[in-house]
Amino acid sequence: QKEVEQNSGPLSVPEGAIASLNCTYSDRGSQSFFWYRQYSGKSPELIMFIYSNGDKEDGRFTAQLNKASQYVSLLIRDSQPSDSATYLCAVNDGNTPLVFGKGTRLSVIA
Amino acid sequence: DTEVTQTPKHLVMGMTNKKSLKCEQHMGHRAMYWYKQKAKKPPELMFVYSYEKLSINESVPSRFSPECPNSSLLNLHLHALQPEDSALYLCASSYYNEQFFGPGTRLTVL
């Protein structure tokens, strides 16, 4: 059974701080890693994906992947109240459907 | 453009009704998906279409019937649903691995 684990939160950070969201996965054959942001009552929005070990930056977001440790993270710099949402980690091996974690609820306090 | 559209936005139906959900994308994506999402849970995969053929059915009850009339359209036909089927129904599409969700249909079964 392929599993993706996330801390459900809530993770509370002050405005302007760095929010760090973590995800571990069980399948060593996983090749693709995704972060989705989901606001309450809305659909998931793809905000980052990463395929190789290391860091990938896009604006205030940085995804970090460590395949040896089976660990992927999302850093949000200069967190804003508008970043308050549930963040879903999703993983697959490139041939099978995405496996989602249960999501981490982030609350950015103004 | 990474837009997936879904209609209707909201749907209320009785247990004896027949209704359909519609999903459309014009990004040339060859894989399309139906998910069901309950509150505070991750999306749960229902069906996958690849090149207009049903490739995955996650043991979904027969009261849900998917249809892919062409490469841009995906329907979900609903019949004799139960109140526990009330949820957010999400359509998604992908070209390779990056999967994009539509806004969803909020379904309430009375």
Side-chain angles (χ1 to χ4, degrees):
Chain A
Q1 181 81 356
K2 299 175 183 178
E3 292 182 343
V4 175
E5 299 286 342
Q6 295 181 256
N7 189 319
S8 61
L11 172 65
S12 294
V13 299
E15 184 175 358
I18 296 176
S20 178
L21 303 158
N22 304 316
C23 172
T24 59
Y25 57 93
S26 63
D27 181 12
R28 282 202 169 272
S30 298
Q31 298 290 328
S32 308
F33 307 86
F34 305 88
W35 284 100
Y36 287 85
R37 177 177 63 198
Q38 187 170 25
Y39 293 112
S40 181
K42 302 295 186 183
S43 65
E45 175 191 4
L46 180 63
I47 56 171
M48 288 289 285
F49 56 88
I50 186 167
Y51 300 141
S52 304
N53 273 332
D55 293 1
K56 178 182 177 184
E57 187 174 318
D58 183 1
R60 294 187 296 113
F61 298 104
T62 299
Q64 299 176 315
L65 175 61
N66 184 325
K67 288 186 179 180
S69 300
Q70 294 177 240
Y71 177 93
V72 59
S73 65
L74 179 71
L75 302 179
I76 305 175
R77 288 181 298 283
D78 187 25
S79 295
Q80 301 296 310
S82 58
D83 295 324
S84 298
T86 295
Y87 289 80
L88 295 161
C89 174
V91 171
N92 77 353
D93 62 8
N95 293 314
T96 54
L98 293 178
V99 179
F100 284 88
K102 293 183 178 179
T104 297
R105 191 155 56 92
L106 172 66
S107 178
V108 180
I109 312 299
Chain B
D1 184 14
T2 54
E3 189 177 30
V4 178
T5 61
Q6 288 187 245
T7 54
K9 285 186 170 55
H10 301 275
L11 178 62
V12 179
M13 60 186 290
M15 289 190 284
T16 58
N17 292 157
K18 286 185 181 181
K19 297 285 185 184
S20 297
L21 309 184
K22 180 180 171 182
C23 172
E24 196 163 0
Q25 58 89 13
H26 294 287
M27 297 176 280
H29 290 177
R30 290 310 189 184
M32 296 185 76
Y33 311 77
W34 281 114
Y35 288 85
K36 172 183 176 180
Q37 188 176 27
K38 294 279 220 178
K40 301 192 188 304
K41 299 287 188 185
E44 179 185 338
L45 183 66
M46 300 174 72
F47 303 104
V48 181
Y49 273 83
S50 179
Y51 292 90
E52 302 168 46
K53 293 194 186 312
L54 183 65
S55 60
I56 294 177
N57 175 343
E58 291 286 358
S59 303
V60 178
S62 59
R63 57 186 184 269
F64 295 93
S65 175
E67 178 195 20
C68 188
N70 60 55
S71 60
S72 301
L73 278 176
L74 188 64
N75 297 320
L76 186 62
H77 302 299
L78 314 172
H79 173 55
L81 294 193
Q82 304 297 310
E84 58 265 28
D85 296 321
S86 298
L88 180 66
Y89 286 83
L90 296 162
C91 175
S93 70
S94 66
Y95 187 68
Y96 286 119
N97 259 334
E98 292 98 59
Q99 199 169 114
F100 299 94
F101 286 89
T105 294
R106 176 74 58 188
L107 174 67
T108 303
V109 182
L110 301 176

